[in-house]
Amino acid sequence: MQIVYVLYWWLAIAFIGFISFPMVSRVCGSTYDKGYSVSKIVGLIFLTFISWMLSSLHILPFGYANIAVSIIILAAVSFAFGKKNLRISQWPRKKILIIEAVYTSAFICFLLLRLGKPDIYYTGFADAVFNHAFIESILRSGYMPPADPWYAGGSIPYYYGGHYLISLLTKFTGVPASIAFNIAVAMLAALAVCACYGLAYNITKRKLYGFISVIFVCIAGYTSGFFQLIAYASNHTVLGYAPIGAQNIIDWMQNFDFWTAPWLVNGAIVHYPYFSFLTGDMHTFFMSMPFQFAYIALIYAVFQKSRGNIPLSRSDTLLNIVILSVCLGFFFILNTWEFPTYVIFTFAAFIILKISPGIRGNLFIPLIITALGFTLYLPYYLTGRMSGFTGFGLLPSEIRTSLDQFLRYGVLFLFVLITFVLVLWKREFFAGKRSIMVSVAFLIPIVLLAVFLHFQILVLVAPIGFICLYFLYKSKVRAEREFVLLLILMGVALAFFCDFIYIKDALSGEWVRFNTVLKLYHPLWIFLGIAATYGVYGILKHLNGRRKLIRIGKAAWIGIVALLIIVSLIHSVASTVSMTSGRHENFCGVNRGTLDGMAYLEEINKGDYEAIKWINGNISGSPVILEMPVNPSTYSSRVSAFTGLPTVIGWRTWETMWRTGGNNIDERSKDVDSIYNISDNSRALELLRKYNVAYIYVGSLERDQYAAEGLKKFDTFTDDYNSVYQNDGVVIYQLKEN
């Protein structure tokens, strides 16, 4: 049956991409693939936006009717704007077949990986638990914002746009949520691979570089895996990585320490894209990746179209603005951290690249796009925005990223990009001794500043940024190279920002920039990775000559890049084997060979498993259910997480981060403990009414935690409580007055 679910899902995505392609191809008509590599993504954004808006404005509740109307609106808009592109005979069919092969192959590969690590587990990458809870909550909701499953009476205080998208597809396909979760992980990863391939292919006009970009951006990882391998081979600690006792290389990979590498940067954790795909915890920075590729591709398409001599019609201009606005604004509810990044990218693209999409004024257009993008998603800001941000702070010098850490993070990209800008610098700016003198004069103050301020990465990012700015200023013609220079500049700016400023939230001390780095190093990787792909193309194009020295230099450069690719792939390969080996229960759970992320519950607590299945089949809507409150990374809040029913308080640390001022989280925890513990039924009823509790869950956790005398009242006072479900480990009571 799970194969059928996968097929339903694949067909649904294909259908959404098909009906969206006429509209997308009109915007991306100047690119080689006519936008097909991002048509699925753009279609998903528009479908989600329409459905979410209908629900947020209380026009149609979330459900089958809402989705059907949304699909009709999407098809009507796409066909109205793309009526000139409806003839399938005019579509780039060979390119479409290749792109479909890339997407489907990636989808199957990531599904196989999910079979090796399917559990929505409560330790390790435990964010999967709350992300699944959000999806279940949205599936139970009618109008937006959805109920917070871990804070009864409140709405989700988080950017839930990606969760809404997955819930929409779950409802549309009829796939159970615990299975849809893993299928969606594979889908998002495959969409990212597909869009990455298409973006690099369109920029370089070579399929080879499309595949190289997939390796660079979507598969390669940190160099730490190489150092861990050297530590194993030499049986000595290398750069802080201790050797793992293993009988052979296969045993080493199965026991590989994949968890150390992400703790790469001072005071933060950093996931590279493939690591996020592999962990599959459905976090927002993971869900946003395909949409980042798609937005960059749309900006590139508009840039390419503006380079032509054919003036744009009003409808073309309107469509460009609408698509960019809807897609830009989607970041606001998908992963709010990235919204400012892509606003800046939009302004930089229109102003620096001098994009003219039919209306005079390079500043006016991005203003319209940004304002409209924000306005379209205003219901989210007014009703469900995250409240954990409190401002900005200057990063203390002692927790800045060291040069060693930054090189371990992205030495492959940095080597390619440094050599790329140096080739440009040498060929087009200076010559001979003057080049050396000016370069030294420029680098000396940067090095001194980096040492004085303990700002080591400045040695790299400042020269790269300066050269990019120079060539963007100097270039009279705007072409693919200038677009890539802008991508490099965006990456450099993000790296500088993360080492200079942090966004204040609930974390403090040495962890003040934890979320800043975690969220912004993903777009940093994407900008640098796509640019590095073009860098390979550009350098090989420049290093054409018959002189022996050039041929030797070219061969040496290719050898270094190939070596760095191998070095960067070791962590990805070893992590894949290790995570799916079943040897790390804290990270991988206990179940394999299924796509059902909830199946492991049957093995660790069958009573909870059967009770949760009963709840999902018999309780509709979002009534409040009481369960024991516990902190994260423990087997707890399992009912709310797997049913979406709101509980009084779930994982307290998470709610503290999402909500400013605590919002009585400690009080809620004490009240729940009192309801279970006290024998005074009148007081218990008073507290139950306070949170509008409809059901009380008593399982093995509650029996182990609370006094038997307190739990006894639920059976004693039959006028107040009715046992609606019971198995060997669980009793569910319903308040009769509810």
Side-chain angles (χ1 to χ4, degrees):
M1 188 63 185
Q2 291 187 6
I3 294 177
V4 177
Y5 287 148
V6 170
L7 182 60
Y8 286 168
W9 199 280
W10 186 91
L11 289 172
I13 301 302
F15 172 70
I16 293 168
F18 179 80
I19 63 174
S20 306
F21 183 61
M23 172 180 66
V24 176
S25 64
R26 184 170 177 182
V27 176
C28 301
S30 57
T31 62
Y32 265 38
D33 69 356
K34 308 300 181 186
Y36 191 83
S37 58
V38 298
S39 61
K40 293 180 177 68
I41 301 171
V42 175
L44 285 171
I45 293 173
F46 269 76
L47 184 61
T48 301
F49 168 72
I50 296 166
S51 173
W52 172 80
M53 186 60 77
L54 290 173
S55 178
S56 295
L57 298 181
H58 288 222
I59 297 172
L60 269 178
F62 177 76
Y64 292 113
N66 173 298
I67 296 171
V69 170
S70 301
I71 290 173
I72 292 171
I73 294 174
L74 171 60
V77 171
S78 181
F79 293 165
F81 278 102
K83 55 187 176 182
K84 294 181 181 179
N85 301 317
L86 293 178
R87 292 183 180 179
I88 297 178
S89 60
Q90 296 179 349
W91 293 7
R93 284 169 291 180
K94 290 184 179 179
K95 297 179 179 67
I96 286 174
L97 288 175
I98 294 173
I99 291 168
E100 279 296 342
V102 170
Y103 168 71
T104 303
S105 299
F107 186 45
I108 293 171
C109 288
F110 285 111
L111 279 173
L112 293 175
L113 290 177
R114 297 314 302 159
L115 287 171
K117 198 185 79 67
D119 299 340
I120 302 168
Y121 213 50
Y122 54 90
T123 61
F125 304 105
D127 284 350
V129 175
F130 88 76
N131 284 299
H132 184 269
F134 285 1
I135 292 170
E136 289 277 18
S137 177
I138 293 170
L139 287 169
R140 288 181 171 274
S141 299
Y143 297 110
M144 296 300 112
D148 186 346
W150 285 352
Y151 194 88
S155 60
I156 291 179
Y158 202 69
Y159 18 88
Y160 60 85
H163 305 92
Y164 189 97
L165 184 153
I166 302 306
S167 300
L168 185 154
L169 291 172
T170 302
K171 179 73 74 173
F172 181 43
T173 58
V175 178
S178 58
I179 297 175
F181 186 93
N182 282 310
I183 297 176
V185 167
M187 174 203 71
L188 289 166
L191 287 174
V193 168
C194 182
C196 179
Y197 165 85
L199 178 57
Y201 167 57
N202 286 324
I203 294 176
T204 62
K205 302 175 179 63
R206 303 281 183 86
K207 298 182 185 69
L208 172 63
Y209 292 98
F211 291 111
I212 289 176
S213 74
V214 171
I215 296 172
F216 272 32
V217 186
C218 299
I219 300 179
Y222 308 135
T223 58
S224 57
F226 170 73
F227 297 123
Q228 288 172 272
L229 179 60
I230 297 300
Y232 158 71
S234 64
N235 200 31
H236 289 88
T237 298
V238 177
L239 295 179
Y241 299 107
I244 297 175
Q247 298 178 356
N248 50 53
I249 192 66
I250 301 298
D251 189 45
W252 174 77
M253 286 196 290
Q254 289 178 333
N255 291 279
F256 180 71
D257 178 15
F258 53 80
W259 185 237
T260 299
W263 299 92
L264 178 66
V265 175
N266 293 329
I269 186 173
V270 181
H271 289 188
Y272 58 89
Y274 182 78
F275 194 81
S276 295
F277 299 157
L278 196 57
T279 59
D281 66 1
M282 201 71 80
H283 208 295
T284 53
F285 59 76
F286 159 67
M287 288 191 283
S288 75
M289 277 187 281
F291 304 97
Q292 293 185 64
F293 287 119
Y295 190 76
I296 295 171
L298 289 172
I299 290 289
Y300 177 73
V302 174
F303 164 62
Q304 283 288 83
K305 187 183 292 187
S306 72
R307 292 174 59 201
N309 296 322
I310 302 174
L312 297 181
S313 66
R314 290 184 179 180
S315 58
D316 278 323
T317 301
L318 176 62
L319 181 60
N320 289 343
I321 292 174
V322 168
I323 283 190
L324 289 176
S325 298
V326 173
C327 293
L328 176 62
F330 190 63
F331 287 114
F332 195 68
I333 67 170
L334 175 67
N335 188 8
T336 307
W337 295 78
E338 288 160 4
F339 180 73
T341 297
Y342 285 96
V343 167
I344 294 170
F345 175 62
T346 304
F347 274 88
F350 275 83
I351 295 170
I352 295 176
L353 300 178
K354 300 179 180 178
I355 298 175
S356 302
I359 300 178
R360 293 182 180 179
N362 299 105
L363 181 61
F364 185 57
I365 294 298
L367 278 172
I368 293 176
I369 292 170
T370 303
L372 184 58
F374 179 82
T375 304
L376 288 173
Y377 294 89
L378 200 57
Y380 165 77
Y381 183 82
L382 296 175
T383 60
R385 66 186 178 91
M386 189 173 179
S387 57
F389 306 132
T390 57
F392 298 91
L394 294 178
L395 191 70
S397 60
E398 60 270 16
I399 58 174
R400 286 192 174 123
T401 307
S402 69
L403 190 59
D404 165 63
Q405 292 169 343
F406 199 58
L407 287 172
R408 275 189 268 173
Y409 166 77
V411 67
L412 172 61
F413 302 157
L414 292 170
F415 174 77
V416 172
L417 294 176
I418 289 171
T419 52
F420 174 63
V421 296
L422 286 178
V423 166
L424 296 181
W425 183 266
K426 177 65 177 175
R427 288 175 65 93
E428 299 189 28
F429 189 19
F430 293 114
K433 295 180 180 179
R434 187 182 177 191
S435 174
I436 299 174
M437 293 174 60
V438 173
S439 298
V440 170
F442 176 68
L443 285 174
I444 287 176
I446 291 177
V447 172
L448 292 175
L449 194 63
V451 172
F452 180 73
L453 297 178
H454 194 65
F455 205 146
Q456 295 184 22
I457 69 168
L458 201 63
V459 175
L460 289 179
V461 300
I464 294 173
F466 173 80
I467 295 173
C468 290
L469 279 173
Y470 170 78
F471 280 108
L472 285 169
Y473 171 77
K474 179 186 176 184
S475 298
K476 296 180 180 179
V477 177
R478 297 293 186 260
E480 289 81 5
R481 188 189 73 173
E482 283 65 38
F483 184 82
V484 170
L485 290 174
L486 178 60
L487 296 182
I488 299 173
L489 197 60
M490 286 297 302
V492 165
L494 282 172
F496 179 85
F497 178 88
C498 290
D499 255 42
F500 186 63
I501 296 173
Y502 68 92
I503 300 172
K504 295 181 179 179
D505 53 21
L507 300 178
S508 59
E510 63 179 319
W511 305 108
V512 292
R513 70 167 181 160
F514 181 91
N515 280 307
T516 303
V517 171
L518 176 64
K519 301 298 172 61
L520 296 185
Y521 261 51
H522 264 76
L524 167 62
W525 184 281
I526 289 171
F527 284 126
L528 295 185
I530 294 295
T533 301
Y534 182 87
V536 174
Y537 166 76
I539 288 176
L540 294 181
K541 186 178 178 181
H542 275 300
L543 294 180
N544 279 330
R546 296 182 179 181
R547 287 190 298 173
K548 185 177 180 180
L549 186 61
I550 293 179
R551 293 200 304 270
I552 294 174
K554 183 177 181 179
W557 186 87
I558 292 173
I560 294 172
V561 172
L563 178 63
L564 290 176
I565 291 174
I566 294 171
V567 166
S568 301
L569 286 173
I570 292 174
H571 193 274
S572 304
V573 173
S575 294
T576 302
V577 175
S578 186
M579 281 195 201
T580 58
S581 67
R583 297 194 181 189
H584 305 276
E585 288 192 2
N586 285 340
F587 292 92
C588 302
V590 296
N591 200 43
R592 301 171 71 197
T594 178
L595 291 173
D596 188 352
M598 195 181 80
Y600 76 94
L601 283 180
E602 189 172 15
E603 297 184 36
I604 68 170
N605 196 315
K606 190 171 182 179
D608 284 344
Y609 176 78
E610 292 177 348
I612 288 169
K613 289 187 68 175
W614 179 86
I615 291 172
N616 283 331
N618 293 273
I619 299 178
S620 59
S622 300
V624 178
I625 190 166
L626 191 74
E627 64 177 324
M628 183 182 75
V630 183
N631 273 325
S633 299
T634 58
Y635 179 62
S636 58
S637 301
R638 72 283 195 203
V639 180
S640 49
F642 287 104
T643 68
L645 292 180
T647 192
V648 174
I649 186 65
W651 284 10
R652 293 172 295 201
T653 305
W654 262 230
E655 288 291 343
T656 300
M657 287 192 294
W658 297 336
R659 301 173 183 274
T660 55
N663 279 269
N664 302 319
I665 290 170
D666 290 338
E667 179 185 342
R668 283 176 174 249
S669 297
K670 292 176 183 177
D671 286 346
V672 173
D673 290 342
S674 295
I675 292 170
Y676 279 115
N677 267 327
I678 61 176
S679 301
D680 183 353
N681 189 53
S682 298
R683 176 57 179 162
L685 288 172
E686 180 184 341
L687 292 173
L688 289 167
R689 294 189 190 102
K690 177 180 177 181
Y691 299 106
N692 197 29
V693 174
Y695 295 92
I696 301 164
Y697 190 93
V698 179
S700 57
L701 294 184
E702 287 75 19
R703 289 193 181 89
D704 291 342
Q705 178 71 18
Y706 299 116
E709 285 299 315
L711 298 177
K712 186 178 179 181
K713 64 180 174 292
F714 301 127
D715 290 315
T716 303
F717 295 95
T718 56
D719 290 340
D720 299 314
Y721 312 102
N722 178 36
S723 175
V724 294
Y725 174 84
Q726 186 171 358
N727 64 34
D728 290 340
V730 176
V731 181
I732 300 175
Y733 302 91
Q734 183 179 23
L735 268 70
K736 289 187 176 181
E737 63 183 10
N738 288 286

